[in-house]
């Protein structure tokens, strides 16, 4: 019988004697690529010197050259025959880095050709490089390394007494019933085998232990055949592990695998002999693993609620929870849409566990609306999870109940967004103020509008009004200055985008001489009070009034009334006025029918309201129809020639530099040349006459009043004979409500002034 000791004696003898033989291969080139941090040994060259036909006890010799940080290496060759039997031939331990090493052909091999399968070199630190005929494997790794060693070696074994019996395991015994992770565990095997292995490799035997979910392996101990040993890895959890399988292989390459089911599998199939079953006490062979930090429990949730509830996309929120777990890593709330109009249909509120019982996360970009909780998923750092579903079911990767009672429905969300801009916005200019009006947003972002912010520029003032407000009058503005008004809606998500409108406040004319609108042959006065009520004051023909009557109301948008645009008989009523509004959409021809002003016809929307001054001198171009003059903010003067029924040609520019006048009024034919004229008050208080030429221009201008007194009047009005002397007059209203008439001379000046009334304070 070929024994383990006999094989060792034969190997030692052959190492001391050089054997001459035919060279089977040539020196190999060094590997083409090595990782710079590779410390595994390498073979720079190797050559097998051996006859092709060998028998038990015959020498097999190699010459080699190795590179490594260690001074010595061990070399083991693995051969495999046609039946799949694999044997290890040990060329020795503590070999120098360059030299010759020998081994002998063991007994027990089958009389068949056997081929070199791998060649393994190991250094003193345990680093290894294993060469196959075409590849190499390093521990530590040498990524991308290749070799050109001549490893195409085949030997024909003859004269052997084949061993076809697989090793027989007769007993299994643990050295200790418990082992801490990171420490050694040892299993002793009782073996009946004629040809035990003789190499330093530990692959001749191993045992596997399992708890049903995790496993670890003990490998063969070359120093003690029949013993497997290994360090319990830190990757397995605490618990009891039973013996699951034992693998043993002899020197001849026969192997047997003993399983916890009682089955035994021998190899090679059909060639090796051995039992098919066993009665070894695998179930009773257990080792208790201790000291592990591996978590094998799914998280258990007992309570969850919002600490800070998110309301908008992108908002960050925190959850408070009560959960039992050793290393909880995240809490994820899965949401589904309440309707088919929301996007996406499903999303997650993913959090990280930031402390005991606290998790925080951010809402991704999602549609507004109600979102229902579909599930709450808890995960720990070990990869364990538990999923608490909306329907009360519970699933996890470990053992857990099938249902739960945690109130996750309280995590349902109503996601809102800032409202869109107001759907409509307009800014109506008024006298030193503006009226801003708007309609609500078309999309309120799933949250009721609670207010609006109105910002005025220049100045930057911001006003806040309630959610039901639709208008705001901004006061304290400067006339003839362009302002922008931005309006933003607010809801629970904050302010939405702005819609912007512009407006330029203009002075308001409240007092007018309208000609004889009462058809009694005397010039009358119309005034619009601060309460936006229109009154008719009938003239007495000698510079006074006979009484008043309310003739209209709700005239808040009326900027000015232009009187006597049509002569009596040109339409159905005796006298008419043109109403120019601040809105720009209601420039109407108003007619007085004896007791009230009525809107007769809407003309030329937005034609006149953008101008600095609007005035009618009566017929200015000689066509017997009253015309309109406008002055732009840059001072340009335009003529709007009346075609008929208050339809106009134009505009035609007829002058410039008029921006320095604070008031411009039409006074009819003031200088007696039968052409209508203008009177204008400059900002220095001087009064000027611009005499019309009857064809759409001026003959001359002259100053007819000094700066003393004229700037003291809030309004000037003119155009008709108010005193009954056949000459055109001028009305002037003082801040105290005193109304004066300046009697015209008929030659372009005034003779004196007469107090008409002291009760016109409503029109200042």
């Amino acid at each position: 019988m070929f024994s383990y000791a006999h094989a060792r004696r034969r190997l030692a003898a052959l190492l001391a004697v050089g054997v001459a033989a035919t060279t089977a291969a040539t020196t190999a080139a060094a590997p083409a690529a090595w990782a710079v941090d590779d410390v595994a040994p390498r073979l720079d060259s190797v050559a097998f010197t051996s006859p092709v036909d060998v028998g038990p006890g015959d020498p097999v010799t190699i010459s080699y050259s190795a590179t490594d940080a260690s001074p010595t290496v061990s070399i083991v060759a693995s051969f495999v025959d046609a039946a799949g039997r694999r044997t290890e031939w040990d060329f020795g331990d503590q070999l120098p880095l360059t030299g010759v090493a020998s081994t002998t052909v063991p007994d027990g091999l089958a009389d068949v050709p056997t081929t070199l399968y791998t060649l393994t070199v190991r250094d003193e630190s345990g680093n290894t490089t294993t060469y196959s005929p075409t590849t190499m494997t390093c521990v530590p790794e040498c990524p991308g390394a290749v070799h050109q060693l001549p490893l195409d070696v085949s030997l024909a074994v003859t004269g052997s007494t084949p061993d076809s019996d697989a090793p027989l395991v007769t007993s299994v015994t643990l050295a200790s019933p418990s082992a801490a992770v990171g420490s050694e565990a040892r299993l002793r095997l009782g073996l009946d085998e004629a040809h035990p292995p003789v190499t330093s490799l530990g692959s001749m035997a191993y045992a596997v232990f399992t708890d049903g979910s995790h496993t670890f392996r003990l490998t063969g101990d070359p120093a003690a055949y029949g013993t497997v040993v290994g360090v319990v890895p830190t990757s397995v959890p605490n618990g009891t592990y039973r013996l699951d399988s034992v693998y043993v292989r002899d020197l001849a390459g026969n192997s047997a695998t003993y399983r916890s089911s009682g089955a035994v599998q021998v190899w090679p199939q059909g060639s090796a002999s051995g039992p098919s079953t066993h009665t070894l006490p695998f179930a009773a062979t257990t080792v208790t693993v201790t000291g592990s930090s591996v978590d094998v429990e799914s998280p258990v949730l007992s309570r969850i609620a919002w600490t800070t509830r998110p309301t908008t996309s992108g908002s960050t929120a925190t959850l408070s929870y009560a959960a039992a777990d050793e290393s909880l890593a995240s809490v994820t709330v899965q949401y589904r849409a309440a309707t088919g109009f929301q996007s996406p249909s499903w999303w997650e509120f993913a959090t990280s566990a930031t402390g005991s019982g606290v998790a925080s996360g951010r809402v991704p970009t999602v549609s507004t609306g109600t979102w229902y909780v579909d599930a709450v998923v808890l995960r720990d750092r070990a990869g364990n999870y538990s999923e608490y579903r909306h329907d009360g079911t519970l699933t996890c990767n470990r053992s857990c109940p099938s249902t739960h009672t945690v109130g996750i429905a309280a995590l349902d969300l109503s996601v809102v967004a800032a409202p869109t801009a107001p759907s409509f916005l307009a800014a109506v200019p008024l006298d030193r103020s503006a009226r801003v009006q708007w309609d609500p947003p078309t999309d309120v972002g799933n949250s009721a509008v609670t207010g609006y912010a109105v910002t005025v520029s220049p100045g930057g003032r911001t006003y806040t009004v309630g959610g039901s407000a639709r208008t705001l009058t901004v006061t304290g503005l400067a006339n003839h200055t362009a302002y922008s008004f931005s309006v933003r809606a607010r809801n629970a998500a904050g302010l939405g985008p702005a819609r912007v409108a512009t407006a330029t406040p203009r002075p308001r004319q409240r007092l007018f001489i309208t000609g004889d609108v009462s058809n009694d042959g005397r010039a009358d006065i119309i005034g619009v009070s601060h309460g936006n009520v229109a009154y008719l004051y009938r003239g007495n023909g000698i510079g006074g009034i006979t009484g008043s009557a309310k003739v209209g109301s709700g005239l808040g948008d009326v900027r000015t009334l232009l009187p006597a645009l049509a002569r009596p008989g040109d339409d159905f009523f005796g006298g008419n006025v043109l109403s120019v509004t601040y809105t720009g959409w209601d420039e109407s021809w108003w007619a007085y029918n004896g007791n009230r002003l009525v809107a007769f016809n809407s003309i030329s929307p937005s034609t006149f309201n953008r101008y600095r001054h609007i005035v009618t001198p009566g017929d200015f171009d000689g066509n017997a129809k009253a015309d309109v003059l406008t002055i732009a903010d840059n001072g340009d003067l335009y003529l709007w020639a009346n075609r008929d029924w208050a339809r106009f040609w134009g505009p035609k520019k007829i002058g410039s530099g008029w921006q320095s006048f604070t008031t411009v009024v039409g006074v009819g034919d003031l200088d007696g040349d039968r052409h209508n004229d203008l009177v204008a008050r400059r900002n220095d208080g001087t009064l000027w006459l611009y005499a019309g030429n009857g064809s759409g221009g001026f003959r001359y201008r002259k100053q007819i009043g000094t700066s003393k007194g004229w700037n003291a009047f809030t309004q000037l009005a003119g155009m008709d004979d108010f005193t009954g002397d056949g000459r055109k007059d001028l009305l002037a209203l003082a801040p105290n409500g005193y109304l004066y008439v300046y009697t015209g001379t008929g030659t372009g000046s005034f003779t004196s002034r007469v107090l008409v009334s002291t009760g016109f304070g409503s029109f200042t």
Side-chain angles (χ1 to χ4, degrees):
M1 182 68 69
F2 187 86
S3 68
Y4 174 77
H6 175 71
R8 280 293 186 184
R9 287 194 298 272
R10 289 286 305 272
L11 177 61
L14 287 170
L15 287 174
V17 179
V19 179
T22 302
T23 301
T26 59
T27 301
W34 289 86
V36 295
D37 61 346
D38 185 23
V39 294
R42 76 170 185 259
L43 287 173
D44 300 319
S45 66
V46 66
F48 278 79
T49 56
S50 171
V52 175
D53 297 321
V54 294
D58 288 344
V60 176
T61 304
I62 61 172
S63 60
Y64 65 91
S65 175
T67 300
D68 193 70
S70 301
T72 63
V73 294
S74 64
I75 300 176
V76 175
S78 175
F79 282 83
V80 63
D81 66 16
R85 293 184 179 92
R86 188 161 63 91
T87 61
E88 272 77 38
W89 299 9
D90 193 343
F91 283 90
D93 300 330
Q94 297 182 342
L95 300 173
L97 296 181
T98 301
V100 176
S102 297
T103 187
T104 59
V105 178
D107 191 17
L109 302 182
D111 285 341
V112 294
T114 185
T115 302
L116 182 64
Y117 182 63
T118 60
L119 189 65
T120 300
V121 57
R122 175 181 293 173
D123 63 18
E124 294 178 359
S125 299
N127 305 312
T128 62
T129 301
T130 299
Y131 297 86
S132 74
T134 58
T135 63
M136 60 186 296
T137 303
C138 305
V139 180
E141 295 183 357
C142 49
V146 297
H147 77 90
Q148 297 176 344
L149 296 175
L151 298 182
D152 186 13
V153 178
S154 293
L155 301 175
V157 178
T158 59
S160 176
T161 303
D163 178 5
S164 60
D165 293 328
L168 179 65
V169 179
T170 59
S171 64
V172 290
T173 307
L174 274 169
S176 174
S178 65
V181 294
S183 65
E184 184 180 272
R186 186 177 292 268
L187 177 70
R188 299 186 181 92
L189 303 176
L191 290 172
D192 183 2
E193 171 55 48
H195 298 94
V198 297
T199 72
S200 61
L201 298 182
S203 61
M204 292 300 190
Y206 63 81
V208 177
F209 285 82
T210 183
D211 68 349
S213 299
H214 304 84
T215 62
F216 65 89
R217 176 183 290 194
L218 307 180
T219 59
D221 185 354
Y225 181 63
T227 300
V228 289
V229 64
V231 174
V232 179
T234 58
S235 60
V236 298
N238 295 328
T240 300
Y241 291 75
R242 59 175 174 80
L243 182 61
D244 186 62
S245 63
V246 171
Y247 169 85
V248 288
R249 179 157 53 94
D250 63 15
L251 182 146
N254 304 300
S255 66
T257 302
Y258 288 71
R259 302 190 182 280
S260 60
S261 64
V264 179
Q265 182 181 11
V266 297
W267 181 265
Q269 291 180 345
S271 299
S273 61
S276 60
T277 62
H278 73 90
T279 58
L280 296 171
F282 273 38
T285 305
T286 60
V287 59
T288 300
V289 173
T290 62
S292 175
S293 60
V294 176
D295 182 4
V296 292
E297 300 294 332
S298 292
V300 178
L301 180 68
S302 58
R303 178 187 59 81
I304 189 167
W306 289 114
T307 301
T308 305
R309 180 182 293 271
T311 58
T312 62
S313 293
S315 62
T316 300
T318 56
L319 290 165
S320 66
Y321 61 86
D325 193 80
E326 296 180 10
S327 59
L328 189 66
S330 67
V331 178
T332 301
V333 186
Q334 298 175 348
Y335 284 97
R336 57 182 171 84
T339 70
F341 300 101
Q342 295 166 249
S343 177
S345 59
W346 181 91
W347 58 275
E348 290 184 344
F349 181 86
T351 74
S352 58
T354 57
S356 178
V358 178
S360 63
R362 188 178 67 87
V363 177
T365 300
V366 298
S367 299
T368 59
T370 299
W371 294 90
Y372 295 121
V373 173
D374 198 48
V376 174
V377 181
L378 279 67
R379 298 184 186 276
D380 62 21
R381 293 181 181 86
N384 303 307
Y385 73 89
S386 55
E387 182 174 309
Y388 291 75
R389 299 196 60 80
H390 186 273
D391 60 6
T393 59
L394 172 62
T395 59
C396 60
N397 66 325
R398 303 294 180 182
S399 60
C400 63
S402 60
T403 61
H404 73 89
T405 58
V406 181
I408 65 173
L411 301 180
D412 290 350
L413 286 181
S414 178
V415 175
V416 302
T420 57
S423 57
F424 164 79
L425 177 66
V428 179
L430 302 172
D431 188 3
R432 292 168 294 179
S433 60
R435 184 175 68 252
V436 186
Q437 54 197 42
W438 59 87
D439 287 340
T442 55
D443 184 356
V444 298
N446 194 38
S447 175
V449 173
T450 57
Y452 294 90
V454 182
T455 301
V456 184
S457 295
R461 288 180 292 168
T462 297
Y463 301 86
T464 301
V465 296
S468 61
R470 297 293 179 267
T471 184
L472 172 69
T473 298
V474 180
T475 60
L477 305 179
N479 283 333
H480 308 304
T481 299
Y483 290 89
S484 65
F485 304 88
S486 67
V487 179
R488 304 170 69 190
R490 182 192 301 275
N491 65 5
L495 286 171
R499 188 177 292 275
V500 179
T502 60
T504 302
R506 304 292 187 188
R508 183 170 190 174
Q509 184 76 14
R510 293 189 176 273
L511 201 63
F512 316 93
I513 291 181
T514 62
D516 180 17
V517 297
S518 58
N519 295 322
D520 61 359
R522 304 183 180 100
D524 304 317
I525 300 172
I526 286 182
V528 179
S529 71
H530 285 275
N532 300 319
V533 176
Y535 294 92
L536 171 66
Y537 293 88
R538 291 182 172 86
N540 60 11
I542 56 174
I545 55 178
T546 61
S548 64
K550 178 180 175 181
V551 294
S553 60
L555 306 181
D557 285 339
V558 173
R559 177 182 170 190
T560 187
L561 296 175
L562 302 181
L565 281 179
R567 296 170 300 173
D570 281 350
D571 52 63
F572 299 110
F573 304 101
N576 299 282
V577 295
L578 179 65
S579 168
V580 178
T581 66
Y582 282 110
T583 62
W585 297 101
D586 193 24
E587 282 125 359
S588 300
W589 187 3
W590 286 38
Y592 181 69
N593 67 356
N595 58 11
R596 61 191 176 97
L597 292 170
V598 295
F600 182 73
N601 191 22
S602 180
I603 61 167
S604 305
S606 299
T607 299
F608 301 127
N609 69 328
R610 65 180 180 270
Y611 287 98
R612 189 180 189 93
H613 296 290
I614 312 160
V615 63
T616 177
D619 176 20
F620 197 67
D621 62 357
N623 67 350
K625 298 179 183 295
D627 307 307
V628 174
L629 296 176
T630 59
I631 300 173
D633 284 327
N634 65 357
D636 289 344
L637 179 66
Y638 295 92
L639 168 64
W640 300 74
N642 192 350
R643 289 189 293 174
D644 54 39
W645 286 79
R647 291 182 299 173
F648 300 93
W649 301 104
K652 176 184 178 183
K653 181 178 176 181
I654 61 173
S656 59
W658 288 78
Q659 69 270 26
S660 61
F661 293 104
T662 59
T663 302
V664 179
V665 296
V667 291
D669 179 15
L670 190 66
D671 60 0
D673 63 355
R674 297 185 181 181
H675 302 308
N676 291 330
D677 309 316
L678 293 181
V679 168
R681 179 178 61 183
R682 199 182 295 273
N683 51 22
D684 63 1
T686 58
L687 198 66
W688 295 77
L689 170 65
Y690 281 78
N693 61 13
S695 59
F698 300 100
R699 291 193 301 116
Y700 64 89
R701 72 168 186 172
K702 71 174 181 179
Q703 182 176 341
I704 59 174
T706 66
S707 59
K708 294 181 179 180
W710 290 102
N711 260 347
F713 296 112
T714 60
Q715 294 195 52
L716 301 177
M719 189 172 173
D720 214 335
D721 175 16
F722 192 69
T723 58
D725 60 0
R727 303 179 181 118
K728 305 300 183 183
D729 305 315
L730 183 70
L731 290 179
L733 179 61
N736 59 3
Y738 282 32
L739 181 64
Y740 298 93
V741 60
Y742 282 79
T743 303
T745 63
T747 59
S749 61
F750 304 106
T751 59
S752 60
R753 76 173 187 180
V754 177
L755 179 64
V756 177
S757 174
T758 61
F760 277 74
S762 298
F763 309 107
T764 58

